[in-house]
Amino acid sequence: MAAPDLRVEASSNITVRGCKLHRRLIGKWVRALRSGLPVEADVDFSTARAITTYKSNSLDGLAQALAESTEPGNVEVVDNLVIFASNIGHIRGSGPRRIARLAIAPEGWVTCHLSGDPSWVNAQTAVIRPLLEESRPRKWGFWYAPRWIFAGWGMSVALLFTGLIDSLPLAVLVVLAGLACGFAVGSVLKRILKVEIFLTQDELASSYWRFTANEIVTAVIALLAILVAVIFGVISHKDSQKGDEKALTLTRAW
């Protein structure tokens, strides 16, 4: 009687938020994904642009396909990428099946799925997780919140100052300025933290980390509006206190 097949498979899913990648980091990821796979095993790269998906077994081939396409956008930078590696087709005898699929979405989610024998999956998880964390511009998740969340935070902070303001129009101005300031901060972070995968460059472009003139002007105007409103609010508050003191003094005099 033949012995039963006792092959055991495990799977692991690693997910992080945020991704800035260049050629050297992609190379490190590929070397990690290939660990434990046959030398002849292929690694496939694919990316979607508009309604077309481009696929190649090398980054150079993928970059060339984008360069020869008629799709708009920078041919050297993409906002999504899928890397797939496996030993399917190269399994000798009853060896375990090993699959690694790493997907980077335009929204910033990076997901790596590993499946195969438990020892390989555990080893790969321990190696790949720090590599994914390395590609995150900001480690705390709240940086990746939507712009309306930052707008709400800005308005909440502005509401703290309204207690110093006796004038309703000034209080409304402070709240609106806080809303605008929070939205501006969210817009700046959205641009800075957007997914950018440089297929040909070995370093991230420094210009992508700088604020644009429009973003700086918007933030400065919003901050000045809050500052002016708070100053006027404090002045009006002190004036009202002086008026109350004068009224109290006259009352005592009578």
Side-chain angles (χ1 to χ4, degrees):
M1 180 177 179
D5 187 0
L6 299 179
R7 181 186 305 171
V8 177
E9 288 192 357
S11 62
S12 174
N13 289 286
I14 309 168
T15 302
V16 300
R17 183 72 185 272
C19 180
K20 293 273 187 181
L21 270 182
H22 50 71
R23 181 65 176 260
R24 288 190 300 108
L25 276 178
I26 297 175
K28 290 173 65 174
W29 287 15
V30 171
R31 288 191 294 272
L33 292 174
R34 287 183 62 93
S35 178
L37 301 181
V39 177
E40 62 273 16
D42 292 331
V43 177
D44 293 326
F45 303 86
S46 63
T47 185
R49 177 163 288 184
I51 60 173
T52 307
T53 298
Y54 299 89
K55 188 174 182 179
S56 177
N57 58 4
S58 69
L59 281 176
D60 291 332
L62 188 63
Q64 183 178 356
L66 289 173
E68 295 175 352
S69 71
T70 58
E71 303 288 353
N74 189 343
V75 297
E76 296 182 354
V77 185
V78 295
D79 65 355
N80 64 94
L81 184 67
V82 176
I83 306 174
F84 181 84
S86 74
N87 65 348
I88 298 177
H90 304 281
I91 301 176
R92 297 180 178 88
S94 59
R97 184 184 65 170
R98 296 174 175 177
I99 299 173
R101 184 182 185 275
L102 193 151
I104 305 168
E107 297 79 17
W109 292 106
V110 184
T111 304
C112 182
H113 173 76
L114 302 166
S115 63
D117 52 289
S119 59
W120 180 78
V121 169
N122 292 334
Q124 289 294 85
T125 301
V127 171
I128 292 175
R129 188 185 298 277
L131 292 179
L132 299 188
E133 294 287 348
E134 186 181 0
S135 71
R136 301 178 67 190
R138 295 290 184 272
K139 306 307 178 186
W140 294 349
F142 74 86
W143 293 112
Y144 302 93
R147 284 177 289 188
W148 62 269
I149 293 290
F150 286 96
W153 290 343
M155 185 174 64
S156 300
V157 172
L159 285 172
L160 297 177
F161 295 98
T162 57
L164 302 174
I165 303 173
D166 295 330
S167 172
L168 180 60
L170 283 177
V172 173
L173 178 61
V174 169
V175 172
L176 292 178
L179 185 68
C181 187
F183 190 83
V185 170
S187 298
V188 171
L189 288 173
K190 183 177 178 63
R191 181 187 63 82
I192 292 177
L193 301 177
K194 71 178 181 179
V195 176
E196 290 170 324
I197 306 167
F198 293 82
L199 299 179
T200 57
Q201 300 181 31
D202 287 337
E203 297 290 343
L204 296 176
S206 59
S207 61
Y208 282 81
W209 298 89
R210 299 172 184 166
F211 294 163
T212 64
N214 290 335
E215 291 166 345
I216 294 175
V217 169
T218 302
V220 169
I221 291 175
L223 288 174
L224 287 177
I226 292 178
L227 182 61
V228 170
V230 170
I231 291 174
F232 276 104
V234 172
I235 293 173
S236 63
H237 182 68
K238 289 183 178 179
D239 289 341
S240 65
Q241 285 183 334
K242 290 180 180 179
D244 292 340
E245 290 177 357
K246 289 181 179 179
L248 183 60
T249 301
L250 291 174
T251 302
R252 289 176 176 175
W254 282 102

